[in-house]
């Protein structure tokens, strides 16, 4: 961990322009109400944003427009794209308009979609072109997100601002009466690195590729403001680690346990309490917190503590909750959250013979899966899956050493076994439906995944975006 981590952000506390986009669900209600005939334009273009004091920063950003349906836009000052909120079963047409100077395509991270809706890099469209998506939302309620996925340029485009949230609701979630409205807070964490001219510094060295590009300045929903004023009430925090490469280890600074009610693919079967939890790029966490136990004037900080307890790193705040008002909305934490189905390994075609993917450094600079580089249309026999089957895969990180959050496109999967290396025990959360999985040095992790509904070419890659671009990514073909 960088010892000077975020010192810059804490030193520069005055913001010339307040850029706090309040992404609570009250605001979301005004964003996109998806109904049967919904169509939006999603435009990616270069824009300047006043991120720091002084000169504006040149970024890339998504902008949304309602074409038809009851879709409204969030008036946001953030560089993040509009938040899309939809219900399971909704149909949505999205015209992605590329007004960048390079090819791009949008991937709907975590959504279960056909190949031609998933944003495989072979579907990238050039400057001035449009790609039209038209899909039905099959996922259960959860926090998903979207970002570009052009080959070799994903890291650059996301780092420069192209990302947004995609919230799916369903009736199971609604029946639980979880904190909503102002008591549901969406928090996207991203780190960035700037030059003296307030412009972003991206990959400059082989080290930036090997470690992934990390920054010294934290952004929360596109702002450096960490404070949230809250009441003596209960809250639901919907978290996305939208960083290119930085993993966090979440912990409350006041000693309370972190209560996790959901992960990538929605609600867990029941709440899980942990002292701390690892939170890798691409992952989402759904956290329940009770500030009714606090006194007026209290502050509670959700911190990131050093991932490895070697005494060298330092904790820093991700979000600070300032309890400033009395409250009346005390939502109870359900004992049971969801009828989460556990996939029985006997359902797989290879329950005792997993397909093993080795996570290895590349010769030269970069990382690989099985020592191979990504080729746009290449598929090995091992990477071919029969439609309507279930398979067991294993990620093996016993030969090289750093965290790789492995993301698989298509449907969500489940972890069935983790042989822990020296670091991951008590750090990772393997429960529930996942689409991005932290693999730590020494680990061998078995997952089980169904390949139903959609034949076609999909991706498997590390979600440290500089690893994905250089070239820790493979295709798999469902046929
Ligand atoms: Cu990686």
């Amino acid at each position: 961990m960088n010892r000077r981590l975020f010192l810059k952000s804490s030193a520069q506390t005055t913001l010339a322009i307040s850029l706090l986009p309040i992404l609570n669900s009250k605001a979301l209600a005004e964003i996109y109400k998806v109904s049967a005939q919904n169509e939006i334009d999603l435009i990616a273009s270069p824009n300047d944003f006043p991120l720091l004091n002084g000169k504006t920063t040149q970024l890339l950003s998504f902008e949304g427009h309602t074409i038809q349906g009851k879709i409204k836009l969030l008036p946001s000052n953030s560089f993040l794209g509009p938040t899309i909120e939809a219900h399971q079963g909704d149909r949505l047409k999205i015209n992605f308009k590329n007004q960048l100077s390079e090819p791009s395509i949008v991937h709907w991270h975590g959504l279960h979609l056909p190949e031609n809706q998933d944003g495989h890099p072979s579907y990238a469209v050039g400057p001035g072109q449009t790609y039209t998506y038209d899909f039905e939302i099959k996922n259960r309620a959860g926090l998903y997100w979207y970002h570009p996925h052009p080959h070799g340029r994903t890291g650059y485009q996301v780092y420069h601002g192209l990302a947004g949230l995609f919230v799916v609701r369903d009736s199971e979630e609604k029946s639980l009466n979880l904190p909503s409205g102002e008591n549901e807070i969406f928090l996207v964490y991203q780190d960035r690195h700037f030059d003296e001219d307030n412009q972003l510094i991206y990959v400059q060295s082989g080290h930036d590729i090997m470690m992934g590009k990390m920054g010294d300045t934290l952004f929360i929903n596109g702002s450096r403001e960490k404070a949230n004023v809250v009441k003596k009430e209960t809250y639901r925090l919907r978290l996305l680690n939208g960083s290119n490469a930085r993993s966090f280890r979440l912990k409350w600074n006041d000693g309370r346990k972190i209560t996790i009610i959901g992960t990538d693919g929605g609600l867990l079967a029941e709440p899980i309490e942990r002292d701390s939890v690892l939170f890798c790029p691409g992952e989402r966490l759904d956290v329940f917190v009770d500030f009714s136990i606090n006194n007026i004037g209290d502050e509670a900080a959700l911190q990131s503590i050093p991932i490895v307890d070697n005494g060298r790193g330092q904790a820093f705040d991700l979000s600070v909750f300032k309890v400033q008002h009395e409250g009346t909305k005390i939502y109870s934490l359900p004992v049971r959250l969801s009828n989460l189905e556990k996939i029985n390994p006997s359902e797989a075609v290879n329950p005792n013979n997993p397909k093993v993917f080795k996570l290895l450094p590349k010769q030269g600079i970069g990382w690989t899966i099985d020592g191979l580089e990504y080729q746009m249309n290449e598929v090995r026999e091992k990477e071919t899956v029969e439609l309507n089957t279930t398979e067991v895969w294993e990620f093996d990180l016993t030969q090289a050493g750093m965290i790789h959050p492995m993301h698989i496109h298509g449907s969500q999967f489940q972890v069935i076994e983790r042989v822990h290396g020296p670091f991951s025990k008590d750090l990772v959360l393997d429960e529930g439906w996942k689409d991005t999985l932290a693999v730590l040095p020494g680990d061998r992790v078995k997952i089980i995944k169904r390949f139903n509904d959609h034949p076609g070419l999909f991706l498997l890659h590390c979600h440290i975006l500089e690893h994905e671009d250089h070239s820790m990514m493979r295709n798999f073909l469902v046929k």
Side-chain angles (χ1 to χ4, degrees):
M1 295 291 288
N2 184 345
R3 296 188 62 177
R4 291 183 300 142
L5 185 67
F6 300 136
L7 290 185
K8 187 177 170 186
S9 66
S10 56
Q12 298 176 359
T13 49
T14 48
L15 261 180
I17 297 169
S18 174
L19 281 174
L20 178 63
I22 306 295
L23 283 176
N24 58 37
S25 60
K26 188 182 169 195
L28 280 173
E30 295 164 12
I31 312 168
Y32 288 156
K33 279 293 175 198
V34 176
S35 65
Q37 295 170 332
N38 285 304
E39 181 176 359
I40 60 172
D41 279 352
L42 190 65
I43 304 158
S45 63
N47 282 296
D48 286 355
F49 283 83
L51 291 186
L52 307 174
N53 296 325
K55 210 170 166 186
T56 56
T57 304
Q58 293 171 359
L59 298 174
L60 309 176
S61 65
F62 283 121
E63 171 189 328
H65 294 291
T66 304
I67 304 301
Q68 59 174 334
K70 290 180 182 174
I71 293 169
K72 290 180 186 171
L73 295 177
L74 174 68
S76 169
N77 294 320
S78 165
F79 60 77
L80 287 177
T83 296
I84 301 171
E85 186 186 16
H87 197 274
Q88 188 182 45
D90 281 338
R91 197 179 176 104
L92 183 53
K93 187 174 173 188
I94 302 171
N95 309 306
F96 164 59
K97 300 191 172 182
N98 181 4
Q99 294 181 3
L100 309 172
S101 58
E102 59 183 59
S104 192
I105 192 72
V106 178
H107 170 55
W108 312 95
H109 184 124
L111 294 187
H112 181 42
L113 297 172
E115 181 203 274
N116 64 1
Q117 305 295 309
D118 186 57
H120 188 280
S122 61
Y123 286 87
V125 293
Q129 293 186 300
T130 296
Y131 190 87
T132 298
Y133 298 86
D134 189 346
F135 58 78
E136 184 191 324
I137 295 157
K138 292 183 175 177
N139 289 64
R140 53 201 296 262
L143 181 62
Y144 306 93
W145 64 300
Y146 61 93
H147 61 77
H149 219 304
H151 183 41
R153 295 294 283 174
T154 296
Y156 178 91
Q157 292 186 10
V158 175
Y159 188 80
H160 283 80
L162 292 174
L165 295 177
F166 197 119
V167 185
V168 176
R169 307 291 189 183
D170 68 13
S171 50
E172 183 188 51
E173 177 195 50
K174 197 173 178 192
S175 70
L176 291 171
N177 191 32
L178 293 168
S180 61
E182 288 178 350
N183 295 56
E184 184 181 35
I185 301 174
F186 291 81
L187 296 163
V188 181
Y189 299 116
Q190 298 174 303
D191 60 336
R192 296 290 185 267
H193 184 197
F194 295 88
D195 66 16
E196 289 175 352
D197 234 6
N198 286 354
Q199 302 312 303
L200 287 176
I201 299 172
Y202 192 51
V203 170
Q204 289 183 321
S205 64
H207 179 267
D208 287 344
I209 292 170
M210 290 308 287
M211 302 307 291
K213 179 59 193 174
M214 297 199 208
D216 53 9
T217 307
L218 178 70
F219 285 83
I220 307 102
N221 298 342
S223 162
R224 287 193 298 154
E225 179 60 60
K226 295 181 178 186
N228 295 266
V229 173
V230 294
K231 296 177 180 168
K232 283 171 59 96
E233 296 180 341
T234 50
Y235 286 82
R236 183 181 184 191
L237 310 180
R238 313 293 304 270
L239 314 178
L240 163 66
N241 183 348
S243 304
N244 275 37
R246 185 177 296 280
S247 292
F248 304 110
R249 182 178 177 185
L250 304 182
K251 190 179 195 321
W252 287 109
N253 74 330
D254 57 7
R256 80 179 80 202
K257 301 246 185 200
I258 183 162
T259 304
I260 298 146
I261 62 170
T263 55
D264 300 342
L267 292 166
L268 296 167
E270 53 204 32
I272 292 174
E273 296 211 318
R274 299 285 287 274
D275 290 322
S276 69
V277 64
L278 188 67
F279 192 34
C280 290
E283 286 189 305
R284 285 87 69 209
L285 283 171
D286 201 339
V287 171
F288 187 95
V289 61
D290 184 0
F291 296 125
S292 74
I293 61 170
N294 286 85
N295 297 314
I296 301 283
D298 280 358
E299 289 187 10
L302 186 62
Q303 293 190 319
S304 182
I305 62 170
I307 292 170
V308 180
D309 298 313
N310 59 9
R312 282 186 291 148
Q314 65 187 160
F316 56 89
D317 294 345
L318 291 167
S319 287
V320 179
F321 299 89
K322 299 183 171 190
V323 185
Q324 291 188 356
H325 305 285
E326 295 292 339
T328 53
K329 285 184 274 181
I330 314 294
Y331 299 83
S332 56
L333 175 64
V335 179
R336 289 285 305 172
L337 291 162
S338 166
N339 292 315
L340 192 85
E341 179 200 5
K342 267 211 149 169
I343 306 178
N344 190 329
S346 67
E347 180 185 310
V349 296
N350 60 338
N352 303 310
N353 183 28
K355 288 181 172 175
V356 179
F357 295 92
K358 290 193 181 226
L359 311 181
L360 299 168
K362 190 161 119 182
Q363 294 220 317
I365 291 167
W367 293 88
T368 72
I369 296 170
D370 290 340
L372 301 167
E373 298 208 18
Y374 179 72
Q375 304 290 340
M376 189 70 88
N377 294 300
E378 185 181 277
V379 181
R380 291 175 294 166
E381 192 186 340
K382 185 171 88 178
E383 294 154 343
T384 305
V385 178
E386 200 177 321
L387 182 65
N388 291 319
T389 62
T390 300
E391 292 197 352
V392 177
W393 291 5
E394 179 181 307
F395 295 111
D396 179 336
L397 185 51
T398 52
Q399 290 180 34
M402 69 173 284
I403 299 175
H404 296 288
M406 300 305 293
H407 174 48
I408 312 177
H409 290 214
S411 59
Q412 303 277 320
F413 56 82
Q414 293 177 355
V415 176
I416 52 175
E417 184 191 321
R418 184 186 290 262
V419 178
H420 290 277
F423 306 106
S424 59
K425 200 155 183 2
D426 302 325
L427 199 58
V428 294
L429 186 81
D430 285 336
E431 283 81 359
W433 290 101
K434 295 286 294 168
D435 58 50
T436 308
L437 171 76
V439 186
L440 281 77
D443 284 358
R444 284 167 48 210
V445 193
K446 280 197 194 98
I447 61 124
I448 190 161
K449 181 173 161 79
R450 290 178 175 139
F451 299 87
N452 298 344
D453 306 327
H454 302 311
L457 199 62
F458 296 91
L459 292 169
L460 148 74
H461 64 85
C462 179
H463 220 282
I464 290 178
L465 299 180
E466 292 70 39
H467 294 180
E468 169 190 334
D469 285 337
H470 300 269
S471 110
M472 200 172 203
M473 181 158 83
R474 294 293 301 173
N475 290 313
F476 66 91
L477 178 68
V478 183
K479 68 176 189 181

